[in-house]
Amino acid sequence: MAGPEAAGAAAAAEGSEAGNGGRDGYDGKCVFCRIARREEPGTTLLPCEDEDLVCFRDIKPGAPHHYLVVPVKHMGNCKTLKSEHIPLVKRMMEVGKAVLQKNNFSDLNDVRMGFHWPPFCSIAHLHLHVLAPASQLGFFSRLYYRINSYWFITAEQLIERLQTENAAS
C-alpha cells in the first residue's frame, strides 16, 4: 500500500471519529474528500441525487458493477458511527440502488452492499461498497466481501448493530 491508501490505513488504525475531518468537513489528505470535491481528475463522479453523497466506480472492481458511495463531508469509518447515523447509511444504500438501476442492473436481490470493518479498511473515510451481481463475485472478491466475516459488515448488519447499541443505551 502506498500514497493516499497508506495514509488512510494509518488514520483508520487510529480510529477517526464519525464527524468532520476539519472545520468544514474536509480533510485534504483524504483521497475520498478530494474526490468528493472533484479534485481528483482521474475519478469520474456518477450522477447522484443526494447532494451530501457522491458515487464513483471502485478502482479495483470486485464485480461487474462495483461502486463506492461516500459522504461529501469527511466521516470516520463505519465503526465510529452511532445510531443517529442510521438515516445516512440508509441514504447511502438508496443511492447505491439508484446507481445500479441507472447502469441497467435491476436484480436488486443479487447485490452486496457493505463496509470493511476496521482495521480492514484502507481509506478512513466512510464508504459503502455496492457490488453486483453478487452471484458473479470472483474467488478473492467472495473472500474480501464475505458476509459474516471479521472484516466485512453488510449495510443491513451495520444498521441492526447501530439500532441494538441505541436500545442498550
Side-chain angles (χ1 to χ4, degrees):
M1 213 172 7
E5 287 192 20
E14 293 172 12
S16 298
E17 290 300 314
N20 56 17
R23 288 186 313 228
D24 62 352
Y26 175 73
D27 179 351
K29 295 177 184 173
C30 173
V31 67
F32 287 173
C33 283
R34 293 193 310 270
I35 289 171
R37 289 195 175 196
R38 294 171 174 78
E39 295 173 0
E40 289 288 325
T43 304
T44 302
L45 295 182
L46 301 171
C48 180
E49 295 176 12
D50 189 316
E51 64 186 31
D52 297 327
L53 300 171
V54 294
C55 183
F56 50 93
R57 294 181 190 281
D58 194 295
I59 60 169
K60 296 179 185 171
H65 295 271
H66 188 168
Y67 309 107
L68 298 177
V69 180
V70 178
V72 171
K73 289 187 178 182
H74 187 83
M75 296 189 70
N77 58 56
C78 63
K79 192 174 183 179
T80 66
L81 298 181
K82 305 290 182 217
S83 60
E84 61 264 20
H85 296 109
I86 292 172
L88 170 64
V89 175
K90 288 181 177 180
R91 285 194 346 260
M92 292 172 79
M93 292 172 64
E94 289 305 315
V95 165
K97 290 175 188 175
V99 168
L100 286 170
Q101 290 172 327
K102 287 178 186 172
N103 284 279
N104 300 317
F105 186 82
S106 57
D107 184 3
L108 297 181
N109 293 317
D110 195 13
V111 174
R112 182 155 311 157
M113 289 194 216
F115 304 88
H116 281 105
W117 195 255
F120 302 102
C121 44
S122 59
I123 306 291
H125 185 131
L126 184 67
H127 57 285
L128 173 70
H129 288 269
V130 180
L131 299 111
S135 61
Q136 292 183 24
L137 292 174
F139 176 75
F140 287 112
S141 293
R142 284 195 312 271
L143 289 176
Y144 202 62
Y145 303 101
R146 183 175 166 194
I147 297 172
N148 298 321
S149 64
Y150 294 112
W151 53 87
F152 188 78
I153 185 170
T154 67
E156 292 88 356
Q157 288 171 324
L158 178 60
I159 289 169
E160 185 177 312
R161 179 177 280 202
L162 295 173
Q163 289 170 334
T164 304
E165 288 175 2
N166 189 41
S169 298

